[in-house]
Amino acid sequence: MLVHRIAALGVSLMVLTAGALTGGTAGAAGPAAARETAAGMVPVSIGAGGVVTMPSVVAPGVNTFKITTTRRNASLQLLALVPGYTVEQAEADVENGLEKGRLKALRRFEANTTLLGGATATREKAGKLAIDLEPGSYLALDTNKTGSPWLPFTVSGTDTGASLPAGASLRAIDSTTWAKSPRAIPRSGWLRFKNRADQNHFIAMVKLLPGKTLEDFATFLDDESGRPPIDFRVGIDSGVVSPGHDMAFKYRLPRGSYVLTCFWPDASMGGMPHAFMGMYRLVEVR
Ligand SMILES: [Cu+2]
């Protein structure tokens, strides 16, 4: 029951933060934009039922996936499966492991996938995701929609020659720890997520309500009751990234204090989301 409620909190956070104030921002003109267009811009559209439409072949190297959607909120996630592990097995393991909290399924999913991150989009605002992909077979899906079909695509051909866009960088380290720096990030730009930890993680960064502190968030997690001290509508979400992988996504946030956390379930802790293991810290947006 405890784990179920915790998981429900994680899911609601992911769903509610998806698409809040992310995506393409001002400053679309200029040299950076010209480079993006020149090298590896991949259009992705997400329609009813979380159906993803994008090119079936993408060039290797760094691509920028521009995500548009007719849905209110959509969350693109990219991943690759170990050869021999099928989409059907992966989908079943997600349902049993992530939604029903069955640890064997969660462990099998984690052992057989490379999670590459993602980005959110809303009907009003496109999202942008930059990832360096090696040649191979991949899948794309909308994690904001249960039952979204997993779309296969191939990475092959000539390298784009592009590099990941410059911007602020947040790092996961050790097992379930956020690196202490930077303390603050700008209000908009590209945010890079480097997973240097030994577990899967995602960035869930959510704004603290006025007057609330990180201590209030800690108390909320400990008590598992009362009103959350965070505004679920204002935040960003990176999609899930496997150890050793990097990605970057475009964001825009109002100035303020945010909790940087992760709700990925830890199989070695009975499926407890990382937030409940202390994986959170303050980030100022200036
Ligand atoms: Cu995590």
Side-chain angles (χ1 to χ4, degrees), residues 67-145:
I67 308 150
T68 54
T69 185
T70 54
R71 305 189 62 235
R72 196 151 70 110
N73 295 295
S75 302
L76 182 73
Q77 168 80 43
L78 303 184
L79 73 157
L81 306 185
V82 165
Y85 184 63
T86 66
V87 173
E88 290 71 27
Q89 287 174 311
E91 284 186 287
D93 285 342
V94 164
E95 188 182 338
N96 290 317
L98 291 176
E99 289 165 30
K100 296 180 183 164
R102 293 183 189 150
L103 298 178
K104 198 175 158 189
L106 174 60
R107 281 199 194 93
R108 187 167 47 222
F109 178 75
E110 293 196 282
N112 288 289
T113 52
T114 304
L115 300 161
L116 297 156
T120 58
T122 67
R123 198 177 289 152
E124 292 76 30
K125 199 131 198 151
K128 275 187 187 170
L129 162 72
I131 302 192
D132 186 356
L133 296 176
E134 292 174 8
S137 300
Y138 295 85
L139 293 157
L141 74 149
D142 178 7
T143 54
N144 200 28
K145 179 70 186 171

